[in-house]
Amino acid sequence: MAIYPTKRLRRLRHNPLIRDMVRETIITKNDLIYPLFVVPGNGIKNPVKSMPGVYQLSIDNLIKECEEVVSLGIPAIILFGIPEHKDEKGSEAYDENGIIQKAVREIKAKIKNLVVITDVCLCEYTSHGHCGLLNGEEILNDETVSLLAKEAISHAEAGADIIAPSDMMDGRVAAIRKSLDYKGFTKIPIMSYAVKYSSGYYGPFRDAADSAPAFGDRRSHQMDIANGDEAIREAESDVEEGADIIMVKPAGPYLDIIRRVKEKFAMPTAAYQVSGEYSMIKAAAQNDWIDGERVMLESLTAIKRAGADMILTYFAKDVAQWINSNN
Ligand code: PBG
Ligand code: ZN
């Protein structure tokens, strides 16, 4: 192996064309999944205060948004619903006329060439904002899993292309797979939020999805931020239970976990650049403290370099626009 002065690493850096030739990681539009929030009503486009550029949309505006997403060349969206009514059991989550079920049916009737992923959890639909059924202050696992399977089936019946359980109950991937198969949806993949940390970075999302817990937190089901080996055990369960794509969430602060999960399981791996990661970059850019576009691209390139095959990001439209005008 050569050493300096024979070896000079700067040789490949001074010509911009050569830099392009040796670049290892490039973000493409196929890497992107765009999260969208749907609310009841008509003509609604509510800005989410803590997430500049993100809106709660009624179905009519959601359709327009999907048209734009497709025309930009983004292949997929993930949908979150804010229901008309919340109750203790999150009934609208698994109601065939719930907000998500209606939205998916409309999208599928009107939009071609878009992969519709639906988030499966109860926290947007429960009056207490928790991800499952409660007994006092305890979140019940197995009773919740049955409802999640019902929710997944109602999404598949509406036309969802991929089901994405985000609840972190034990055994939910197996239960959802079994129910989907029983109902004939053997071809619908599961993208599981396999490794989901109990993170402070979800703050802005809870404004967008109106899903903040009324008391307590999510530490009894989401992972302790300090744990890496546990992430392997979580991912392993979901792979064994039949997940087709596994996700790590958040993304930027957990690049080590993305890398470990990718290397260990060699599965299609998604990473969720969550609301707080987005809002911090937006806020700093609005203050002119950082170059927003540059940091956006840097953050996403780092996530892909770590091993992510796809990235759920609120920047999806901005990135697609950037790619379309710079290539
Ligand atoms: C619902 C869910 C959450 C996110 C995705 N699905 C919130 C939570 O767990 O509190 C967070 C996404 C984000 O912050 O952008 N379980
Ligand atoms: Zn939840």
Side-chain angles (χ1 to χ4, degrees), residues 121-124 130-131 166-167 196 218 221-222:
C121 196
L122 296 185
C123 53
E124 291 119 78
H130 281 289
C131 302
S166 70
D167 51 282
K196 181 173 178 182
R218 306 220 198 286
H221 54 295
Q222 298 180 350

Side-chain angles (χ1 to χ4, degrees), residues 177-190:
R177 184 72 272 158
K178 199 172 150 204
S179 304
L180 287 173
D181 289 353
Y182 178 73
K183 293 277 183 179
F185 297 110
T186 54
K187 289 189 198 148
I188 296 200
I190 296 175

Side-chain angles (χ1 to χ4, degrees), residues 30-196:
N30 285 329
D31 300 327
L32 305 170
I33 300 171
Y34 189 45
L36 287 169
F37 299 94
V38 55
V39 289
N42 235 294
I44 294 172
K45 187 174 177 183
N46 288 333
V48 177
K49 266 216 335 243
S50 52
M51 300 180 75
V54 175
Y55 301 86
Q56 297 177 329
L57 302 170
S58 51
I59 292 177
D60 52 330
N61 283 329
L62 177 72
I63 297 294
K64 289 185 201 152
E65 187 74 5
C66 289
E67 282 164 359
E68 193 188 336
V69 165
V70 171
S71 74
L72 285 168
I74 298 167
I77 59 166
I78 181 163
L79 275 185
F80 297 95
I82 295 99
E84 189 99 51
H85 301 291
K86 304 194 184 214
D87 61 27
E88 294 263 292
K89 296 185 165 159
S91 307
E92 214 182 302
Y94 36 90
D95 180 338
E96 65 173 320
N97 289 313
I99 182 74
I100 286 290
Q101 293 80 356
K102 279 199 242 172
V104 173
R105 278 198 298 268
E106 283 275 310
I107 295 172
K108 284 292 148 187
K110 297 193 169 134
I111 310 276
K112 297 276 162 289
N113 298 321
L114 182 65
V115 174
V116 177
I117 307 171
T118 54
D119 183 271
V120 168
C121 196
L122 296 185
C123 53
E124 291 119 78
Y125 306 92
T126 50
S127 43
H128 43 72
H130 281 289
C131 302
L133 293 179
L134 296 180
N135 177 19
E137 299 209 342
E138 186 197 349
I139 301 170
L140 299 170
N141 193 87
D142 301 7
E143 294 80 349
T144 299
V145 166
S146 314
L147 295 183
L148 295 167
K150 262 176 86 172
E151 183 178 0
I153 286 168
S154 72
H155 292 180
E157 283 171 344
D161 297 297
I162 299 181
I163 300 294
S166 70
D167 51 282
M168 291 294 282
M169 296 300 120
D170 288 321
R172 90 275 206 219
V173 171
I176 290 172
R177 184 72 272 158
K178 199 172 150 204
S179 304
L180 287 173
D181 289 353
Y182 178 73
K183 293 277 183 179
F185 297 110
T186 54
K187 289 189 198 148
I188 296 200
I190 296 175
M191 171 194 276
S192 76
Y193 289 66
V195 180
K196 181 173 178 182

